Amino acid sequence: MKNIFKIALISIVCGSTFASNSAVNNVILNEVTTLDTSPKGFNTDPKKKNTTLNDKNATDIFIENDTDSYLALQLINVASGNIGTGYRSGGTTTAGFDCSGLMYSTFKKFDITLPRSSHEMAEVGLEITPENAKKGDLIFFINRGQQRINHVGMIVEVNGGEIKFIHSSTNGGVIISSLKESYYERTFKQINRIIE
C-alpha cells in the first residue's frame, strides 16, 4: 500500500515518469479511492466520483483522552507489532524476545536507551502506585522464587481497577496479560514511569 502511494506521488511530481505516455492513468490507493495521475491532475469531471485520499486505517492510533501520551501510544503500537513472537532468552529481535529485550528494543526505536535487564530497568524512572498507572509505564515482577525483579512488561491499558500489559512470557512469547490474573497479581512488585 505504501509503495503504491509513493509511486502515485512520484508520478504526480515527475509527470508520469514511470509510465510512457498515458499508460498509467489511475493508481488505486485503496478499495474505494483512486488518484488520477494524468497530466491534468485530479479528476474534475462532475460525472465521476470526486477523488479523495482515505488516510485512516486499522493501525491508526487515536489519543482517547488527555492522559494518553502520543509517545506511549507509539511505544504500545511498536511492541504490539510483536505479539505472537516467541520467547528467546537474551533475545532482542523478532527471532525471539525475552521480557527486557522486548522493552529494550521497543524503546530503542524511539532513541530511548533502557538498561538491558529487568532489575536494572526497575531503577530507571519514577516509581508510581497502581492507581496512578498510565499507558507506557513499565510494570515489574519478582517470580519463580527470585530475590530481585526478574520480569518486566509495558502497560497498554488501564481500565478502572484492571491493568493490562504487554510482555514476553517464557511460555507464551509476546502476549498481553492482566494484573488481575492470579499469577501476576501475586508476583507484582512495582510500576515505573519512564516517559511523561
Side-chain angles (χ1 to χ4, degrees):
M1 184 64 91
K2 290 180 181 177
N3 289 338
I4 292 172
F5 184 69
K6 287 178 185 174
I7 290 170
L9 287 177
I10 291 170
S11 295
I12 291 169
V13 173
C14 299
S16 298
T17 301
F18 295 112
S20 59
N21 298 333
S22 61
V24 177
N25 288 331
N26 291 312
V27 177
I28 297 174
L29 296 177
N30 62 31
E31 292 80 15
V32 296
T33 62
T34 60
L35 178 63
D36 185 352
T37 59
S38 67
K40 295 177 186 175
F42 288 100
N43 174 18
T44 56
D45 184 348
K47 293 179 183 177
K48 292 184 180 178
K49 188 176 179 180
N50 285 337
T51 303
T52 60
L53 177 62
N54 181 359
D55 61 352
K56 295 180 181 173
N57 59 57
T59 60
D60 286 346
I61 294 177
F62 297 97
I63 297 178
E64 298 167 3
N65 57 55
D66 292 339
T67 63
D68 290 345
S69 157
Y70 180 74
L71 177 56
L73 296 175
Q74 292 298 314
L75 288 163
I76 292 166
N77 190 42
V78 168
S80 296
N82 295 303
I83 289 176
T85 301
Y87 179 86
R88 177 178 283 177
S89 181
T92 59
T93 69
T94 54
F97 292 100
D98 65 12
C99 63
S100 59
L102 177 63
M103 296 304 107
Y104 177 85
S105 64
T106 298
F107 278 78
K108 190 70 173 168
K109 287 188 187 263
F110 296 92
D111 294 325
I112 300 170
T113 304
L114 294 175
R116 184 55 189 87
S117 69
S118 56
H119 71 272
E120 290 174 326
M121 283 182 192
E123 297 172 7
V124 176
L126 177 66
E127 188 173 337
I128 59 167
T129 64
E131 296 77 29
N132 292 316
K134 292 182 3 181
K135 293 177 182 179
D137 291 342
L138 295 184
I139 186 166
F140 297 93
F141 303 87
I142 299 176
N143 52 30
R144 289 180 296 227
Q146 298 293 312
Q147 299 299 314
R148 66 180 184 181
I149 288 171
N150 64 344
H151 191 66
V152 62
M154 179 172 50
I155 296 175
V156 297
E157 183 180 336
V158 179
N159 190 3
E162 183 175 20
I163 295 173
K164 292 185 179 178
F165 57 98
I166 189 166
H167 61 122
S168 185
S169 159
T170 54
N171 294 331
V174 180
I175 57 174
I176 293 177
S177 299
S178 171
L179 193 54
K180 286 196 177 254
E181 294 172 39
S182 62
Y183 177 78
Y184 295 112
E185 191 173 43
R186 185 174 64 252
T187 59
F188 169 73
K189 174 63 177 159
Q190 70 189 56
I191 296 172
N192 285 20
R193 179 146 308 141
I194 306 299
I195 60 171
E196 284 300 320

